[in-house]
Amino acid sequence: MKAIVAGTGIDKDRRFYENMSTVETEYGSVEYSVIDGILYLPRHKPGHSLLPHMINYKANVKALKMLGVDEVITVYAVGSITRRLSPGRIGLVRDFLDFTTGRKNTFSDEDPAIRHTPLVQPFDLKLSERIARCAADMSIPLSYGRIVYVTTNGPRFETAAEIEAFRVLGADVVGMTLATEAELLAEQGIRNAAIAYSINWAAGLDAEGFSFLEDESIERIADSIISMSVSALSSDF
C-alpha cells in the first residue's frame, strides 16, 4: 500500500478526515483514511489538534507498517532560510539536520534487532524522481536539487541567531517534524520521499517581521501537492 502523511495546510484536504478508520498500535491509536488505494494520515490528528512536539510519531509509523505501507510521501510546511526554496515554492528534500531533543525517535528500545540505521540517503531516489516527473507532466514548478531541512523541537519558532547558525551549517528550510518521522520510517524500512513547501521566511529574514502566505495561496499549493503525490504513487514508471 502507498501513503501520504501530511500536516499544516495539506491535512485540510477532505481525504485526510473523511471515512476515517482507526488502528491500534502498541504506542497508541492512529486515525487514517484510504481512498482509491492510497492511505492518508494527518500527522497532527484530524482537526490539527497536536503541536509538533506532541505528535505520536512512533504510533503513526508503526500504523503504516502494520497496514502494509511500503512507500510513503511525507509533506511538510516550512520556513525559508535560503532561496533554494523561497516562500510559495515546492521542493523535494534531499537531506536533513536534526536539532530535536527528548523525542522518541527510535524503535530500538523495544526491538533489539534495530541497531544503527544508515541514513546516507534518507529519501528514496526513485520515488523522488517519480514525483519530479509527475510535477513536470502536470506543469507544477518543483525545486529538485539540494534542499536541506533542519528540524527544531517547537512549538516556539526559532530566533534570528538560530536561523543564521542553521544557514551556516547548510540548512535551506526549517520545520519541526521531518527528522523524527524520517528516522522512524527508515528504521521500519518504509521508502520515503519528502516534499517541502515554504509558507514564510524564517526569523530575521523577512523585512516585514514575520508573515505567512495567505490561506488562499496555501490551498492552491496544497491542491498541487496532493495531485502530484497521488499521481506519483499511482504511476508505474
Side-chain angles (χ1 to χ4, degrees), residues 180-203:
T180 313
E181 215 161 63
E183 291 159 10
L184 293 168
L185 287 167
E187 284 192 352
Q188 291 297 309
I190 300 174
R191 296 189 301 278
N192 173 30
I195 297 174
Y197 72 103
S198 176
I199 59 174
N200 65 287
W201 282 107

Side-chain angles (χ1 to χ4, degrees), residues 144-215:
Y144 185 36
R146 175 195 170 279
I147 294 177
V148 177
Y149 178 126
V150 59
T151 309
T152 61
N153 246 24
R156 72 167 179 86
F157 288 111
E158 304 73 31
T159 68
E162 287 170 332
I163 292 300
E164 176 60 19
F166 294 149
R167 184 192 64 78
V168 172
L169 288 173
D172 300 297
V173 298
V174 60
M176 301 175 188
T177 52
L178 178 143
T180 313
E181 215 161 63
E183 291 159 10
L184 293 168
L185 287 167
E187 284 192 352
Q188 291 297 309
I190 300 174
R191 296 189 301 278
N192 173 30
I195 297 174
Y197 72 103
S198 176
I199 59 174
N200 65 287
W201 282 107
L205 301 177
D206 190 340
E208 297 181 4
F210 204 72
S211 57
F212 296 90
L213 294 182
E214 295 180 353
D215 289 344

